Amino acid sequence: MSLDFESQIEAIGAIFRCDRQSAESLARVLIPQRLATKDILARQGEPSHNCWLVIDGALRVETYGLEGQRQQVAQHGPGEFFGAYPAATVHRAEISALLDCQLLCAEAPKIAELVAGNVQIAAGMARLLARQLDRALDRMVTRMTYSAAGRVYAELVALADGRDRIVPSPRVTTLALGANTTRETASRAIATLIRRGIISRDDEQLTIHAPRMLAELIC
């Protein structure tokens, strides 16, 4: 079901931490958009004119090398901002829906104009971009300092986001891309966790039985 205007205002106000008047200004330029799992939102190299807010679901950002090799560079979830800003650019990666998604989409210059003219919206955008940078640095540090298996475990912790279940159960290929390692390495890492009783998984979900033990394996 698509968001009605009142629900949009509520979501925008929570994400930007702004008053109703500012949220209404944003809602007038943000258009609801839905994606089904595996839908492609943008392809690498295409012109990028829009930016998005994630209301529900998850998207992954993957780059393709000259020989077709894939590498996941980011993942976006509820409350996150991504896309062209403050002006049109080119998509540096492919963006696809990891889960069914509810988004709010706007043209980059329209959002930039609101940011320039409204202090609350500007403060909210600064927080969103700072959080995005912080997560990018976390991912960079993880890739530079953790072992391949440790990166797989860190990816599981990130996907769980404080919960003891990941629904739907992540594919091994997805975990490998997120951890910047091979599918075989990710498969061995998951098998080790299952053998030790730290996790269990089926077609519907992955359950974390010992979150502390999982966290201790991230190294």
Side-chain angles (χ1 to χ4, degrees):
M1 181 182 296
S2 297
L3 289 174
D4 58 33
F5 191 68
E6 193 63 32
S7 297
Q8 291 178 49
I9 292 172
E10 183 179 351
I12 293 166
I15 292 171
F16 278 84
R17 303 180 195 175
C18 61
D19 60 24
R20 183 179 178 87
Q21 184 176 357
S22 299
E24 287 179 349
S25 297
L26 283 164
R28 293 188 189 100
V29 302
L30 286 161
I31 301 169
Q33 181 177 1
R34 292 189 65 85
L35 295 177
T37 302
K38 297 184 179 180
D39 280 355
I40 304 297
L41 179 64
R43 297 190 183 278
Q44 185 173 329
E46 290 181 342
S48 175
H49 300 283
N50 297 329
C51 52
W52 293 268
L53 286 176
V54 184
I55 303 302
D56 192 28
L59 301 102
R60 61 182 167 206
V61 184
E62 297 174 317
T63 59
Y64 289 81
L66 294 176
E67 298 179 359
Q69 66 273 28
R70 289 191 301 168
Q71 181 173 326
Q72 182 170 310
V73 296
Q75 184 171 311
H76 299 302
E80 292 194 59
F81 171 88
F82 69 96
Y85 180 81
T89 181
V90 173
H91 287 291
R92 299 175 181 86
E94 180 175 282
I95 306 171
S96 61
L98 187 59
L99 304 171
D100 290 352
C101 295
Q102 175 71 66
L103 312 173
L104 293 176
C105 173
E107 296 176 17
K110 290 183 178 180
I111 291 290
E113 184 178 350
L114 289 174
V115 168
N118 184 299
V119 172
Q120 289 191 29
I121 295 175
M125 181 61 77
R127 282 190 294 267
L128 289 174
L129 294 178
R131 184 171 63 180
Q132 188 179 69
L133 175 60
D134 191 53
R135 289 179 176 175
L137 290 173
D138 279 345
R139 183 176 289 272
M140 185 182 301
V141 169
T142 296
R143 290 182 175 178
M144 292 176 63
T145 59
Y146 293 166
S147 66
R151 295 197 300 273
V152 175
Y153 303 146
E155 188 70 12
L156 279 178
V157 170
L159 289 173
D161 194 23
R163 300 180 293 271
D164 63 358
R165 286 178 173 80
I166 303 173
V167 181
S169 182
R171 297 169 56 205
V172 173
T173 301
T174 300
L175 289 172
L177 286 169
N180 192 28
T181 189
T182 65
R183 188 186 187 285
E184 290 72 21
T185 297
S187 181
R188 287 195 297 270
I190 295 300
T192 298
L193 295 180
I194 294 173
R195 186 172 62 252
R196 296 179 62 179
I198 296 172
I199 68 168
S200 61
R201 68 192 298 260
D202 53 35
D203 292 339
E204 296 182 355
Q205 66 182 16
L206 183 149
T207 304
I208 301 174
H209 302 289
R212 181 178 296 179
M213 291 179 66
L214 177 59
E216 289 174 351
L217 289 173
I218 300 174
C219 60

